[in-house]
Structures are given as C-alpha cells and as structure tokens.
Amino acid sequence: MSTVTAMPIGPGGTRYKEVKEAMLAALTEQEWKGGEVIPSEKKLADRFGVSIGTLRKAIDELCAENILIRHQGLGTFVAQHRRDRHFFRFFRVARRDGDRAYPVVTLVNFKRAKSAPAVAARLGINDGTRLFVFTNALALHDKVVVIDTVMLPETKFPGLTESMLRGRPNTLYNFYQDAFGINVTSTDERLRIGRASELESKLLEIEAGAPVLEVERVAYSINQKPVEYRITHINTEEYEYIAGTSKSSDI
Amino acid sequence: MSTVTAMPIGPGGTRYKEVKEAMLAALTEQEWKGGEVIPSEKKLADRFGVSIGTLRKAIDELCAENILIRHQGLGTFVAQHRRDRHFFRFFRVARRDGDRAYPVVTLVNFKRAKSAPAVAARLGINDGTRLFVFTNALALHDKVVVIDTVMLPETKFPGLTESMLRGRPNTLYNFYQDAFGINVTSTDERLRIGRASELESKLLEIEAGAPVLEVERVAYSINQKPVEYRITHINTEEYEYIAGTSKSSDI
DNA sequence: AAGTGGTCTAGACCACTAC
DNA sequence: TAGTGGTCTAGACCACTTA
C-alpha cells in the first residue's frame, strides 16, 4: 500500500535492474556508441526517475561487465575495443617469459562458405547459413605463432569485404564495433590438442599434422547473442596461453 | 578543516578500503574460519566505526573476490571450498559435449623433493626448499583423463602425510582450508602442448610421449601469496579445457 | 570555476530465513 | 517474531579533469 516511491517496481525485479536494462537497450539501439560519453549520473537519475545511488548501482554492474568505463572528472564512456586497452582481455597468448607483445596480423585467406552443423549450433543459426570465413596469421616478435580462422554470419556483417579487413586501423573487435555496431563483451573458449593443417604448418614453420594448441572461441555481443566463431591454432614451443581465475577481469 | 567524520581516513586511501583490509586481516588470522558466519553488517559497522553503506561496500568487494558469500536472511559467510559449490571454478575440464562430471581421484605417488629453480621462482621461495610432491589420477566417466602433479612447500603444510591425502573427504582445496587454514582464492594458469611421461601414458592409456594439454598452475591464498604449484596433463581426445571471459566469476 | 564521478552518511522499508 | 542481508533515498563533501 505504500505510495512513497515515485514509480512502482516493474515486473522482473528491482529498480536498478530496470535502469540497467533500459541502459542496455539504449546501448543496443546505439543511442550511445562505442567510445562516446554517456549523460552524467545526475541527468540519468532524473531521466529514469531514481536517486543517484540507485543509478550508480546500475552503472556499477555495467562497468563490472566491461560495457561501460568510468573516468572520474570526465564522465562515463561506452567501452571501446582499442589496441592499447582491453586488447589482452581477449588475446591470451604470451611468450613463455611472460612478455606480451601486440601481434602483427596478416590476412591470408578470405572466402564465403555455408555453415557446418557444429558451427551453426554454436552461433545459434541454421545449418547452411552463409558465412564469411577468413584466416589471419599473427606474428609475435617477428615470427608467426598464431593462426586464427574466423567465421561470421553474413546477416550480422552486411557488406563485409576483404579490403575492409585489410584496411582496418585497429583491432578486429574495434572494427566490428565501428563498422557494424557489434560490441563483443564476452567469449567462451574451449582448448584442446589440434593438428596443424597444410597451410598452417607452412606459416607456423612446423611439420604438417604437428600438434598445436587449438582454441575454439564463440564471441558474444552486448545482448549475449553469439556473433563470431573462431578456431585458433597456436604453436606453443615458445609461447603459451594464459588463463586462470582472477578477480579483476582484465590484465 | 572539517571535523565532521568520526575518524580520519588513514594512509593508503578510503574508509571502505581500510575496512576491507581489516576484514582480510581478520580472515588471515582465522578470527573467522572457512564456512563460518561473520558478524552482522550492523555489528561490523559499529566495530569499524563506519556507516552500514560503507561497510557493505567493503563486503561487496570481498564477495566479488569469492572470499565471502552473502545469504539474505542468514548472514555473510567465509567462502568454503566444497565439492558441490565453487568446485568447477577451479576444475576446468569438461567432456566435449559439455558434460561436467566430478572426477574420481586416485593418489598414485607421494614423495618429498627439493624445489627446482623454475618452481621455486613461481612459488616465491628459495631454490632447493623442501616440497611435498604428489600425483593424482583423475577419472571422468570411469576413464582416467587428467593427471595432476602437485607441489607444496613443506613449511606451509606442516605435518602433511600421504594418508591425510588419501583420507580427505572433500576437495583438495577444502582440505588445505580445514587442515592448514589456507584459503585458495585465485589461480594463474598457462597452457601449452606437453608430452605424456611413461607413467602418465599408462594411466591415460596413450602412447608415451604423445601430446597432451599441459596446464601449469600457481594457486594463491587470500593474501595473494603463492601456496601451490601444479602441472596438469589432460588427454583431450574426448575432453577439453574450458576458459573464456565471463562476467560472473563462477560457473 | 564548473562539472564530473567517488565516497560516505543515516535512515526507511522490503525480502528472506529460522524459530 | 526477530534478525539477517537487499534496495533505495537525498544529500554532503571529496578528488579529478578541463577550461
């Protein structure tokens, strides 16, 4: 019977969760784009009809999920994939001595194909859906160590061309963000022993069929929809994959 | 100069960080032990001379780091390693179809040894420091798939014996907690291609020298001190290692 | 100096759990 | 019913950034 609160709590839970959902909606509708500053906490609190404390709790969670980034004195920004920030959150390969270098990427293949059942299942699409498929060779310290084979549903990346991939100035996920409004926020990865293909063996300078560390990745966008499927093969003679449970999400 | 606040903010930062540090100290001194309930928020706020809101912010962070666990209506508890909870936070092996089973553990070796330089460096101890070294074979769905070789500094685990390891009722990290007051809260892992040893090849039913997924783990306790070094070898013919960036820490 | 996010407060009320 | 944590408020003051 209380009539104290300005607005009743809607279906599904609490006020700050509602605010969070409303902000996620604004982000998916690209009202606020990657790298942009969002309105101040005061303005957002007014807009959603809640106190600053409640509004802050919603932003707290979005920051914890690496969707927003706060900057004291500056404002709150939509997280942007940049080579100099957040890059190593998704690139987990380092030299055995711990040195983490930026890879030099070379596109070695670009084609269209129809989705195999296993890939379609992971991407939540129908078998045979058309995909862009491309392969990148990643060099660390002037030596090719990683081969990425990336598969993207054509419907989510309309108009993607080989030259766009060659010309991109920043990271691949930055490119998804700027060119297609797709914000990769989390990944699911599975690791196992794989075997180098003929092409990979040449690029990695190992024998064909030699064991490599295989990483199967599905990348998810802001609304938890799968947007990318990727198979990575790593030569771990001098490099390794870094995992582990940490409290703060990045490195 | 303001004389409003009850206590000046000490060196190093903010009130809630101070409260958090004080609580971490109480935890390392085992004032509150694994599985126990800690005092109510009201009592802790009085004890530390802060408001409930500030006290809650300290607990928020400790919960985010999986050190405490809140239970509405019940209280706040010191996180405990249990077979039925938090186990898969550290055990990352699953069948390829996604099925995650509890391993059946068999101790196959127990000995003492002196630390090699590489291990000592990881554990932050001197070369040649005495270690307990033991090997476990882990079976999933009635088949040995994982071999763990665990190294523990004798000084941190005084009085550890083979029979204690055989008799433990719960998980290994639960055992560290109950028997030695060591709370493992995070791990650092590095993955690469390894080769099965003679012993491993027999247990895993593969050829000696066959490629296996090698995981090098350092486990850290509540105060970020390394407490365990471990090499894991996984047969990934039917199983795989699960990684990835997720927002919520557990699975 | 103006505007931003960061900290902290003191309290009301709600939701859950145990007895 | 009593006690716990969970949500929410309305505001003060601090620290940082830009101009």
Side-chain angles (χ1 to χ4, degrees):
Chain A
M1 292 305 172
S2 90
T3 54
V4 178
T5 50
M7 205 201 288
I9 293 177
T14 61
R15 307 267 291 208
Y16 81 87
K17 287 281 183 194
E18 285 186 324
V19 172
K20 183 182 169 187
E21 290 306 316
M23 292 185 69
L24 279 171
L27 286 160
T28 41
E29 289 161 19
Q30 298 213 67
E31 177 180 342
W32 309 316
K33 298 199 181 70
E36 289 180 5
V37 66
I38 70 173
S40 75
E41 298 183 343
K42 177 73 179 64
K43 283 175 188 156
L44 288 171
D46 289 347
R47 165 167 165 181
F48 296 117
V50 296
S51 74
I52 292 244
T54 302
L55 187 277
R56 279 182 62 81
K57 187 152 183 178
I59 293 186
D60 281 346
E61 291 202 354
L62 292 169
C63 287
E65 292 168 23
N66 293 288
I67 292 169
L68 297 179
I69 298 176
R70 291 205 240 234
H71 251 152
Q72 186 174 4
L74 253 167
T76 301
F77 297 78
V78 182
Q80 192 176 27
H81 290 279
R82 291 159 56 98
R83 194 191 177 76
D84 57 327
R85 241 166 50 182
H86 289 284
F87 179 74
F88 291 114
R89 190 162 110 81
F90 295 103
F91 184 69
R92 311 295 307 173
V93 180
R95 201 162 61 183
R96 292 215 176 186
D97 65 9
D99 186 80
R100 307 192 78 161
Y102 292 106
V104 176
V105 182
T106 308
L107 182 70
V108 296
N109 200 297
F110 179 90
K111 63 182 184 187
R112 286 174 169 77
K114 289 187 176 174
S115 166
V119 175
R122 295 283 197 162
L123 285 174
I125 56 179
N126 295 323
D127 294 3
T129 301
R130 296 182 63 79
L131 302 173
F132 295 111
V133 180
F134 58 91
T135 301
N136 281 326
L138 281 65
L140 295 168
H141 306 100
D142 299 321
K143 189 172 182 306
V144 174
V145 176
V146 178
I147 310 290
D148 277 337
T149 301
V150 180
M151 305 186 195
L152 306 173
E154 287 197 8
T155 51
K156 286 203 166 72
F157 295 83
L160 176 67
T161 65
E162 180 170 350
S163 68
M164 287 164 78
L165 285 173
R166 288 197 194 279
R168 67 188 166 85
N170 210 303
T171 72
L172 192 53
Y173 286 173
N174 176 278
F175 171 68
Y176 294 173
Q177 198 171 38
D178 285 355
F180 302 98
I182 289 175
N183 292 2
V184 172
T185 54
S186 67
T187 58
D188 175 26
E189 298 193 327
R190 299 171 189 224
L191 290 80
R192 59 182 85 103
I193 303 290
R195 298 286 171 176
S197 71
E198 199 69 42
L199 171 63
E200 287 170 340
S201 67
K202 280 173 190 143
L203 292 163
L204 293 170
E205 298 177 47
I206 55 178
E207 290 178 15
V212 292
L213 178 54
E214 176 172 296
V215 184
E216 180 188 39
R217 172 192 290 184
V218 179
Y220 298 89
S221 76
I222 213 164
N223 50 10
Q224 309 294 5
K225 290 279 186 294
V227 293
E228 179 204 73
Y229 179 89
R230 180 189 295 215
I231 294 285
T232 299
H233 278 183
I234 307 168
N235 175 357
T236 63
E237 280 168 24
E238 296 173 38
Y239 293 81
E240 51 199 6
Y241 177 101
I242 298 193
T245 68
S246 47
K247 55 215 69 193
S248 314
S249 10
D250 316 4
I251 278 188
Chain B
M1 302 311 167
S2 87
T3 55
V4 178
T5 50
M7 206 201 287
I9 292 176
T14 61
R15 306 269 290 207
Y16 81 86
K17 287 281 184 194
E18 285 186 323
V19 172
K20 182 183 169 186
E21 290 306 316
M23 293 184 69
L24 279 171
L27 286 161
T28 41
E29 290 161 19
Q30 299 214 68
E31 176 180 343
W32 309 316
K33 297 199 181 70
E36 290 180 5
V37 66
I38 70 172
S40 75
E41 298 183 343
K42 176 74 178 67
K43 283 175 188 156
L44 288 171
D46 289 347
R47 166 168 165 179
F48 295 118
V50 296
S51 75
I52 292 244
T54 302
L55 187 277
R56 279 181 62 79
K57 187 154 183 178
I59 293 185
D60 282 345
E61 291 202 354
L62 292 169
C63 287
E65 294 168 22
N66 294 289
I67 292 169
L68 297 179
I69 297 175
R70 290 206 241 236
H71 251 152
Q72 187 174 2
L74 255 168
T76 301
F77 297 78
V78 182
Q80 192 176 27
H81 290 279
R82 291 159 56 98
R83 195 190 177 77
D84 57 327
R85 240 165 51 183
H86 289 283
F87 179 73
F88 292 114
R89 191 162 109 82
F90 295 102
F91 184 70
R92 311 296 307 173
V93 180
R95 202 163 59 184
R96 293 215 176 185
D97 65 8
D99 185 80
R100 306 193 80 161
Y102 291 106
V104 175
V105 182
T106 308
L107 182 70
V108 296
N109 200 298
F110 180 89
K111 64 182 183 190
R112 287 174 167 77
K114 289 186 176 174
S115 166
V119 175
R122 295 283 196 162
L123 284 174
I125 57 180
N126 294 324
D127 293 4
T129 301
R130 296 183 63 78
L131 301 173
F132 295 110
V133 181
F134 58 92
T135 302
N136 281 325
L138 280 66
L140 295 168
H141 306 100
D142 299 319
K143 189 173 181 307
V144 173
V145 177
V146 178
I147 310 290
D148 277 337
T149 301
V150 180
M151 305 186 197
L152 307 173
E154 287 197 6
T155 51
K156 285 202 166 72
F157 295 83
L160 176 67
T161 65
E162 180 170 351
S163 67
M164 287 165 79
L165 285 173
R166 287 197 195 280
R168 68 190 166 84
N170 211 301
T171 73
L172 191 55
Y173 286 173
N174 176 278
F175 171 67
Y176 295 173
Q177 199 171 35
D178 285 355
F180 302 98
I182 290 174
N183 293 0
V184 171
T185 54
S186 67
T187 59
D188 176 26
E189 297 193 328
R190 298 171 189 227
L191 289 80
R192 58 183 86 102
I193 303 289
R195 297 286 170 176
S197 71
E198 200 69 42
L199 171 62
E200 288 170 340
S201 67
K202 281 172 191 146
L203 292 163
L204 293 170
E205 298 176 46
I206 56 178
E207 289 178 17
V212 291
L213 179 53
E214 176 171 296
V215 184
E216 180 188 39
R217 171 192 291 184
V218 179
Y220 298 89
S221 75
I222 213 163
N223 50 8
Q224 308 294 6
K225 292 279 186 293
V227 293
E228 178 204 72
Y229 179 88
R230 181 190 294 216
I231 295 284
T232 300
H233 278 183
I234 307 168
N235 176 357
T236 63
E237 281 168 22
E238 297 173 38
Y239 292 81
E240 51 199 6
Y241 176 101
I242 298 193
T245 68
S246 48
K247 56 213 69 195
S248 313
S249 9
D250 315 5
I251 277 187

